[in-house]
């Protein structure tokens, strides 16, 4: 990031070309059927770009399957855009129920787009993306399938073809361990090219972005050059670690160290043992009169340990991420800091629930 390249510099154009091809490699797809489209801005920009660009202006209807804050955000995007949609709610501490989805698809054949979050970051639930995709192929073969894989891409294996995925979004700063600045869309080409003219936005028009990148190798508007240069290095490190398999192994190890350590301190997980996700782990607030999350967060922050600041679910719980440049030793250090923070707050350990 200490280098400065212009967005129209030959080296930068080659870097963008490399990033786009490597993202397809990470996704396990080829340029014959798919393309990758970087989008300036956070992951939500890419999510909105997919809705903006792929839902038909006339007759478009979206089924959003939500079981947490990020699924709800998809519904809000559709509302703000004036897109006809149905937001189907599921419990925030459980997976999207495929049986219920099957009934919805059988009853309503008008959906042109279906959207789901792969790993719901507000809780840690990993949804049955492949199972839902198979149902779409059976009951709504004409509908496109959109997966928000913001916090799972590059760490939880996902087969595009067997899952019937048409669009997947993620961002540079999650499991691929780049820095914030841009997000990206992996898009099925034959569907994307049918969407020309659908977009309600100029800057978030995925078809226009794709066509310009293919024609000139350049962005239509100023890209985050430094973040993209950093991402090139991040992808080299990702490959050096063994790709998705290697990263999943490390994150899974982090998760196991954390959950066992928290269990020994008396903390109770939000999700039961049937959930196998390892991206983020949620814990109920202790039922101790001395526990105050803001104070708990502050105590950890003073020890240079940063966890998610506050809850986004209805349940009173807090979240700890297992991803990024973290290793089991870091999780053990965090556990020691959590123990000290609890003792400083006068919380008896192990916590009695």
């Amino acid at each position: 990031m200490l280098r400065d390249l212009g967005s129209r510099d030959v080296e930068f154009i080659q870097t963008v070309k490399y990033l786009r091809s490597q993202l397809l490699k990470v996704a396990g797809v080829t340029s014959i059927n798919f393309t990758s489209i970087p989008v300036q801005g956070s992951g939500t920009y890419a999510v909105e770009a997919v809705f903006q660009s792929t839902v038909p202006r006339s007759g478009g209807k979206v089924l959003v399957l939500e079981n947490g804050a990020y699924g709800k955000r998809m519904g809000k995007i559709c509302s703000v855009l004036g897109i006809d949609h149905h937001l189907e709610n599921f419990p925030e501490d459980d997976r999207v129920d495929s049986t219920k989805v099957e009934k919805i698809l059988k009853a309503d054949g008008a959906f042109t787009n279906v959207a789901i979050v792969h790993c719901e970051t507000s809780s840690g639930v990993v949804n049955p993306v492949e199972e839902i995709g198979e149902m779409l192929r059976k009951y709504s073969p004409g509908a496109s399938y959109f997966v928000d894989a913001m916090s799972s891409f590059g760490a939880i294996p996902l087969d595009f073809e067997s899952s019937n995925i048409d669009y997947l979004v993620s961002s540079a700063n999650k499991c691929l361990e780049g820095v914030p600045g841009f997000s990206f869309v992996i898009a099925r080409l034959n569907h994307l090219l049918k969407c020309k003219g659908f977009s309600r936005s100029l800057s978030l028009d995925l078809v226009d972005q794709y066509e310009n990148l293919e024609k000139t190798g350049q962005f239509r508007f100023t890209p985050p050059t430094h973040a993209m240069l950093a991402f090139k290095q991040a992808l080299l490190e990702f490959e050096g670690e063994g790709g998705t398999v290697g990263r999943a192994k490390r994150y899974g190890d982090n998760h196991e160290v954390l959950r066992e350590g928290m269990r020994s301190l008396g903390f109770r997980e939000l999700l039961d043992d049937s959930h196998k996700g390892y991206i983020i782990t949620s814990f109920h607030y202790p039922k101790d009169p001395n526990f105050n999350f803001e104070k708990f967060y502050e105590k950890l922050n003073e020890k240079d340990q940063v966890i998610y600041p506050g809850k986004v679910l209805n349940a009173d719980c807090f979240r700890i991420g297992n991803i990024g440049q973290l290793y089991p030793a870091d999780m053990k250090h965090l556990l020691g800091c959590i123990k000290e923070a609890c003792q400083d707050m006068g919380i008896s350990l192990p916590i009695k629930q």
Side-chain angles (χ1 to χ4, degrees):
M1 289 185 72
L2 296 178
R3 295 189 63 217
D4 191 16
L5 288 179
S7 62
R8 305 192 191 285
D9 185 279
V10 173
E11 183 181 345
F12 183 73
I13 291 172
Q14 289 302 311
T15 297
V16 173
K17 183 179 180 181
Y18 170 80
L19 297 182
R20 294 181 66 206
S21 65
Q22 286 300 109
L23 284 170
L24 294 182
K25 183 179 177 181
V26 175
V29 297
T30 70
S31 59
I32 297 172
N33 297 317
F34 288 87
T35 188
S36 64
I37 310 168
V39 177
Q40 301 97 314
S42 71
T44 302
Y45 283 63
V47 173
E48 183 162 337
V50 172
F51 286 122
Q52 289 269 17
S53 305
T54 70
V55 180
R57 284 174 176 258
S58 177
K61 184 178 181 181
V62 181
L63 171 62
V64 178
L65 307 171
E66 77 83 12
N67 58 339
Y70 297 94
K72 286 184 173 69
R73 184 179 294 178
M74 283 179 156
K76 184 174 182 180
I77 288 171
C78 289
S79 294
V80 170
L81 294 177
I83 291 174
D84 185 18
H85 68 285
H86 172 70
L87 183 67
E88 187 65 28
N89 310 108
F90 298 87
E92 61 187 18
D93 61 349
D94 206 355
R95 304 170 191 82
V96 167
D97 184 350
S98 56
T99 303
K100 191 174 182 181
V101 175
E102 183 177 24
K103 291 178 181 177
I104 294 170
L105 294 175
K106 283 182 176 179
D108 190 344
F111 295 113
T112 56
N113 306 66
V114 177
I116 190 172
V117 176
H118 186 201
C119 176
E120 179 52 72
T121 322
S122 54
S123 62
V125 172
V126 177
N127 283 315
V129 166
E130 186 167 343
E131 195 174 343
I132 302 299
E134 290 171 355
M135 286 180 181
L136 273 181
R137 185 182 282 118
K138 183 177 181 180
Y139 299 111
S140 300
S144 70
Y145 191 26
F146 170 29
V147 177
D148 175 346
M150 209 65 63
S151 63
S152 62
F153 184 72
I156 300 180
L158 192 58
D159 189 307
F160 271 67
E161 292 301 346
S162 63
S163 301
N164 198 34
I165 297 169
D166 295 300
Y167 298 94
L168 178 144
V169 301
S170 190
S171 64
N173 56 300
K174 300 297 187 196
C175 297
L176 296 178
E177 298 186 3
V179 298
F182 74 98
S183 47
F184 51 86
V185 180
I186 309 294
R188 191 181 294 272
L189 269 172
N190 63 2
H191 191 277
L192 177 72
L193 296 177
K194 294 176 184 176
C195 298
K196 190 176 181 66
F198 285 4
S199 185
R200 292 98 172 140
S201 164
L202 172 63
S203 60
L204 296 179
D205 187 338
L206 289 178
V207 179
D208 199 31
Q209 184 93 319
Y210 163 75
E211 290 180 338
N212 200 75
L213 283 167
E214 290 293 301
K215 182 179 179 180
T216 69
Q218 301 176 23
F219 285 79
R220 298 170 300 157
F221 313 111
T222 306
T225 53
H226 296 83
M228 299 195 86
L229 291 172
F231 192 59
K232 181 179 180 180
Q233 178 61 33
L235 286 178
L236 292 172
E237 294 179 12
F238 173 79
E239 188 172 356
E241 191 174 1
T244 299
V245 173
R247 199 137 289 181
K249 171 70 167 59
R250 175 159 61 85
Y251 293 169
D253 290 345
N254 289 346
H255 170 66
E256 286 304 315
V257 169
L258 177 67
R259 71 194 301 257
E260 291 302 320
M262 291 294 277
R263 188 174 293 169
S264 70
L265 294 174
F267 284 90
R268 187 165 57 93
E269 286 184 64
L270 172 70
L271 306 180
D272 62 40
D273 289 341
S274 69
H275 293 270
K276 305 301 180 185
Y278 44 80
I279 299 299
I280 191 166
T281 314
S282 297
F283 298 94
H284 288 283
Y285 286 176
K287 293 179 181 179
D288 186 298
N290 291 328
F291 181 82
N292 174 275
F293 178 76
E294 287 70 26
K295 190 174 181 181
F296 179 67
Y297 179 85
E298 183 180 317
K299 290 282 185 184
L300 290 177
N301 216 27
E302 290 170 357
K303 302 175 189 297
D304 294 325
Q305 303 297 293
V306 181
I307 65 173
Y308 278 80
K311 73 188 191 83
V312 291
L313 298 174
N314 294 322
D316 287 330
C317 61
F318 62 92
R319 302 171 291 159
I320 298 178
N322 305 305
I323 68 174
Q325 275 288 305
L326 295 172
Y327 296 82
D330 298 303
M331 309 311 282
K332 290 176 183 176
H333 177 67
L334 169 64
L335 289 165
C337 293
I338 289 174
K339 182 177 181 179
E340 291 175 6
C342 289
Q343 291 170 336
D344 291 345
M345 295 170 67
I347 299 171
S348 298
L349 297 173
I351 295 163
K352 293 179 175 58
Q353 297 290 350

